Amino acid sequence: MGLLTAFTEMFDVEHPIALAPMGGSAGGALAAAVSRGGGLGLLGSGNGDQDWLARELPVLADEGAGKPWGIGFQTWAIDDGAIARALEHRPTAVMLSFGDPSPFVERIRSTGTALILQVTDLEEARRAMDLGADVIVAQGTEGGGHGARHGRSTLPFVPVVVDLAAPVPVLAAGGIADGRGVAAALALGAAGALLGTRFQATTEALVAPATAKAIVEGSGEDTERNRVLDIARGSKWPAKYTARTLGHAFLDGWRGREDELAAAPHAQQEYQDAVAQGRIPALPQWAGEAIDLINDLPSAADLVGTLAARAEDALARVGRR
C-alpha cells in the first residue's frame, strides 16, 4: 500500500526516507542510489568544496535515473557562491544545517528549489518557520556526526517540532537505523525520516572500509558526543555543535579537557602526526547510537525499500493489537 505522507507527495518519491547529507561520505553514488530506491538522496557537500562537487555531481547525474535529489550544506561553512554553484545543477532541494540560514534563503527560494532546514532546538525551529522552510528536519542528539551540544533526544523533540511547525512537514533524524525507527518517526507525527549512519554502512558510501566495518561491529555504547576531535583536527565547527563518534585513542587522552587542548598546539600536532603515520583514522568515525541495528553492508537502493517495507510491517502490527 505504501507510506504516503506530505513529504512523499511534495517530492514525488515513493518512500518517506531521506539520506542525511553527510559531509564527504554522502557522495554522488550514494545520493543517486537512495533516490533510485525511492527516497530522497541528498548530496553531502559540507563546506561546498568546488573540486569535490565537480567530481560527485556528475556521478549523481549519471546514476540518479532522473529521480529527485538534493544537496546539503553546513551553513556556517559556506558562502553565497557555494549555493549559486549548487543551484546551477537544478537540485530538487537544498538542505541547510548548523548555523544561520537566512543569508541564503532568498536565493534558494527564488529558483523554486525546496528549502529544507535542519534544527537542533526550538529556537532554530521557530527561525526555520519564520524563514519559510518547506521541510524541517528535527535532529535528536542520538544521531551520528554533529548536532546540538545541549539538545534533546529524538523521541521528545520530534513531536514538539511537529506541533510547532504544522502544517510544514517534519522529518525525524537521530538514532533511526531500521524500519521500526521509520515507523516510530511517523507515529510521532513526522512526515518521514532522515537517516545517516545506516546509509554510511552501504556499498555506495564514501567511507573507508575500516569505518564501515567499525559501524557494523560497533555498539551504541561505543559512541559519545564531544568536541575533542574537532579541536584536534583544527576544525572551525561552532562550539554549540558537538559530534557523536565511535571511540578514539586521542579522545581517551583528552576527554573533558577541551579548553586545555585548544591551548595546546603541540597536542594538536601530535594528532596530525598520528594521522600521517596511520596510527589513528584520518577522520573521526561518525556514528549514531543506533549502530547496534546495523549488521550488513547492502546497496543503498535496496536498503530504502527494505526500510519502508519493514516500517509498514511495524505499523501494521501495531494496528492489529
Side-chain angles (χ1 to χ4, degrees):
M1 82 181 173
L3 296 169
L4 184 66
T5 72
F7 173 79
T8 62
E9 291 184 324
M10 178 180 294
F11 293 102
D12 193 24
V13 296
E14 186 177 356
H15 305 302
I17 293 169
L19 166 67
M22 301 168 288
S25 61
L30 179 54
V34 171
S35 290
R36 289 198 316 273
L40 182 66
L42 293 167
L43 191 70
S45 61
N47 63 4
D49 180 82
Q50 292 189 53
D51 292 338
W52 191 87
L53 286 171
R55 185 184 75 228
E56 297 302 323
L57 278 166
V59 175
L60 176 54
D62 289 344
E63 300 182 13
K67 300 291 187 179
W69 63 277
I71 184 166
F73 293 98
Q74 298 161 358
T75 314
W76 65 269
I78 61 170
D79 58 23
D80 196 59
I83 297 292
R85 288 188 293 273
L87 292 173
E88 290 174 0
H89 297 272
R90 305 185 70 177
T92 305
V94 169
M95 177 171 162
L96 302 177
S97 307
F98 312 120
D100 179 14
S102 59
F104 314 111
V105 167
E106 183 177 351
R107 178 180 286 274
I108 294 168
R109 295 187 64 82
S110 68
T111 64
T113 305
L115 174 65
I116 303 175
L117 297 181
Q118 180 164 256
V119 304
T120 63
D121 58 35
L122 290 183
E123 180 181 351
E124 291 180 351
R126 294 186 185 99
R127 181 64 171 153
M129 289 293 294
D130 291 341
L131 292 172
D134 295 296
V135 176
I136 292 175
V137 176
Q139 186 203 48
T141 55
E142 300 96 325
H146 286 83
R149 183 170 196 149
H150 300 295
R152 303 189 198 183
S153 58
T154 304
L155 187 64
F157 185 50
V158 170
V160 175
V161 177
V162 168
D163 291 347
L164 174 69
V168 175
V170 172
L171 298 182
I176 301 172
D178 67 0
R180 292 170 297 181
V182 175
L186 298 176
L188 293 173
L194 181 125
L195 285 72
T197 307
R198 171 64 273 197
F199 282 119
Q200 285 217 105
T202 57
T203 57
E204 296 90 352
L206 291 176
V207 297
T211 296
K213 182 174 184 288
I215 292 172
V216 169
E217 296 179 353
S219 165
E221 295 177 353
D222 300 331
T223 72
E224 63 178 286
R225 188 168 288 284
N226 69 88
R227 284 194 69 234
V228 168
L229 300 183
D230 281 343
I231 296 170
R233 294 185 302 132
S235 172
K236 296 181 180 179
W237 268 91
K240 69 177 291 187
Y241 302 116
T242 55
R244 184 174 294 282
T245 71
L246 288 169
H248 196 287
F250 192 88
L251 173 59
D252 291 340
W254 288 94
R255 185 178 290 106
R257 300 164 60 198
E258 296 174 359
D259 292 342
E260 185 179 345
L261 175 61
H266 69 281
Q268 297 171 44
Q269 186 60 52
E270 289 173 4
Y271 177 91
Q272 299 297 334
D273 292 344
V275 168
Q277 296 163 12
R279 291 187 282 113
I280 57 177
L283 288 173
Q285 294 176 324
W286 324 112
E289 290 184 0
I291 62 171
D292 303 79
L293 305 175
I294 301 172
N295 53 29
D296 59 357
L297 295 169
S299 163
D302 295 335
L303 177 60
V304 173
T306 299
L307 290 167
R310 291 180 178 171
E312 284 193 67
D313 289 344
L315 292 169
R317 286 197 302 272
V318 172
R320 289 194 297 265
R321 290 177 183 172

